[in-house]
Amino acid sequence: MDKVRIGIVGTGYIGNVHGSIYSRDERAEVSALFDIISERAERAAKTIGGKVCSSQEELLENCDAVLVTAPNRTHKEIALAAIAAGKHVFCEKPFSIGIEDAAELRDAANASKGVFQVGHNRRYAPVYATLKKLLSEDSAHSAHVKMNRGELKNPVWTGDVNVTGGFLYETTIHLFDMMRFQFGEIEELVAYGSQHEYPELDEFSIILKFKSGFHCTFASSSDASWHFPFERIEVFCHHRTIMTEEMERLFDSRGMDANFETLSFHMTEKEEKWGYVQEDKAFIDSILSGEPPPVTADDGFKSVELVESVYEAIRSGKRIRFA
Ligand SMILES: NC(=O)c1ccc[n+]([C@@H]2O[C@H](COP(=O)([O-])OP(=O)(O)OC[C@H]3O[C@@H](n4cnc5c(N)ncnc54)[C@H](O)[C@@H]3O)[C@@H](O)[C@H]2O)c1
């Protein structure tokens, strides 16, 4: 097969990250760019290449695969149009907003002949891939997970619930997907939330029980600070604690003394440390091999279901059980 021709819808921060990776991939080429602010597509074209298109339709005529890298609320419509045009789709997180839209997109993606991959990049980050390997060799009992932000001001739309769908969709969904990846399917949860700095719920405490019997606590604040690490997983096993600090480090403390091993990824390039290089490679692998991608539309749907369940648990004050 010739090179996979990549079209990018939304050439802001993350569109350029993926575009730059594909511009260096010999199996792919950036062939088309579309942004509602055309100067952004023109600027991106200078570094990552590709024809600057004046509409999404024109972009669809000039690519084999579409990267959906515009803000959250736009994902469903852009992805559905790409599926309808017979394209492979890489859709950034969040998969979509709301259960109905997520179900519609999941069904369309699953009925499509093309690949549909969701951008839960952290699954490929070396720190989290290592955690998964260590957990596969031990029996974990419980965990504490944290995912904070310092603000919802940059980019400006991250504080606009009409665009993001809510803080859990914008940020926390990364580690919601990570919990399923590391600990398996969820059986039930309870959650508390409150509103402080923004016109939406911006502070969350959640307790989850998994089908395996594993359980964990999860804290997420949108206006804490950028104190390192704003993202951390601590897992507790028999006389063992494994702890991650963002995508930089993993500590493994075994036995009854105070010694521990540290694995550091701070010398790894950010695009690889955060898993972007690996997920972009996986998308092309899947297109060329016909094998399912590592993060499917079903995974995307389940991350949306988890977000909605937490909001529902807070609204209703009830425990949410999963089928
Ligand atoms: N996986 C990750 O680590 C990660 C990191 C950053 C962002 N994201 C996700 O990627 C998406 C984009 O985030 P960003 O930080 O790049 O935002 P951004 O604001 O930097 O870029 C978004 C771009 O999309 C354009 N746009 C808006 N509506 C459009 C439309 N209908 N059609 C075409 N272009 C449109 C904007 O003009 C802008 O240039 C968001 O959904 C975000 O949640 C994921």
Side-chain angles (χ1 to χ4, degrees):
M1 184 184 179
D2 293 336
K3 290 186 176 197
V4 178
R5 296 175 305 146
I6 304 282
I8 306 178
V9 181
T11 54
Y13 167 67
I14 203 73
N16 277 280
V17 169
H18 294 301
S20 152
I21 292 167
Y22 283 126
S23 71
R24 303 190 302 268
D25 183 334
E26 58 188 25
R27 301 181 302 166
E29 69 174 311
V30 177
S31 62
L33 308 173
F34 171 62
D35 196 294
I36 49 167
I37 302 176
S38 58
E39 299 80 49
R40 293 196 180 164
E42 279 154 21
R43 203 181 320 139
K46 290 193 181 115
T47 53
I48 61 178
K51 174 182 162 71
V52 176
C53 301
S54 55
S55 67
Q56 199 178 308
E57 292 70 31
E58 188 186 354
L59 174 131
L60 292 172
E61 286 162 14
N62 287 283
C63 67
D64 308 310
V66 175
L67 310 188
V68 182
T69 51
N72 306 1
R73 184 74 71 179
T74 65
H75 291 183
K76 186 193 89 168
E77 294 304 334
I78 296 171
L80 284 178
I83 291 169
K87 308 297 172 186
H88 305 289
V89 179
F90 173 91
C91 180
E92 262 303 342
K93 48 61 62 175
F95 176 66
S96 60
I97 295 170
I99 284 293
E100 283 175 16
D101 281 5
E104 186 184 347
L105 182 54
R106 175 198 58 192
D107 294 347
N110 288 342
S112 157
K113 288 203 180 72
V115 171
F116 193 103
Q117 183 173 321
V118 184
H120 284 301
N121 56 296
R122 277 164 173 73
R123 288 190 182 209
Y124 315 79
V127 74
Y128 289 128
T130 305
L131 176 63
K132 185 155 176 73
K133 179 169 178 300
L134 295 177
L135 293 181
S136 73
E137 297 160 358
D138 204 332
S139 171
H141 304 155
S142 67
H144 179 60
V145 182
K146 173 182 85 169
M147 185 155 208
N148 285 351
R149 276 182 71 115
E151 36 68 19
L152 292 178
K153 297 180 189 299
N154 184 26
V156 174
W157 59 261
T158 56
D160 183 348
V161 70
N162 294 318
V163 178
T164 63
F167 171 61
L168 295 181
Y169 275 108
E170 178 43 31
T171 299
T172 321
I173 198 166
H174 278 297
L175 288 199
F176 278 1
D177 175 71
M178 184 55 57
M179 282 195 298
R180 285 189 56 245
F181 180 58
Q182 300 288 354
F183 311 137
E185 297 301 335
I186 293 158
E187 188 169 280
E188 58 182 54
L189 65 82
V190 290
Y192 302 91
S194 52
Q195 180 187 348
H196 303 272
E197 188 64 21
Y198 299 98
E200 59 168 304
L201 289 173
D202 52 16
E203 195 98 11
F204 299 84
S205 301
I206 310 160
I207 305 178
L208 305 105
K209 183 174 164 230
F210 293 73
K211 292 197 192 304
S212 64
F214 184 89
H215 46 92
C216 91
T217 54
F218 192 123
S220 192
S221 168
S222 65
D223 70 330
S225 74
W226 289 114
H227 175 69
F228 182 92
F230 54 84
E231 169 179 337
R232 168 157 61 197
I233 299 182
E234 292 175 82
V235 189
F236 314 115
C237 312
H238 180 58
H239 292 314
R240 186 177 191 187
T241 298
I242 310 171
M243 184 173 87
T244 61
E245 287 190 338
E246 289 174 29
M247 278 151 290
E248 298 295 321
R249 277 191 288 279
L250 180 147
F251 302 94
D252 187 2
S253 158
R254 293 176 195 229
M256 308 234 315
D257 61 25
N259 295 326
F260 60 89
E261 289 172 11
T262 307
L263 217 59
S264 171
F265 299 98
H266 88 276
M267 294 294 280
T268 308
E269 291 288 339
K270 180 174 177 187
E271 288 174 350
E272 196 179 331
K273 182 161 54 185
W274 285 52
Y276 299 129
V277 170
Q278 301 90 320
E279 74 175 346
D280 289 346
K281 177 179 176 300
F283 184 50
I284 303 295
D285 287 345
S286 185
I287 291 170
L288 296 179
S289 69
E291 294 294 319
V295 191
T296 63
D298 290 320
D299 292 314
F301 176 82
K302 286 194 169 174
S303 62
V304 171
E305 188 183 38
L306 191 45
V307 166
E308 287 297 329
S309 300
V310 171
Y311 282 127
E312 176 56 24
I314 295 166
R315 262 194 305 268
S316 67
K318 292 192 176 140
R319 179 183 301 239
I320 305 292
R321 290 197 166 80
F322 292 78

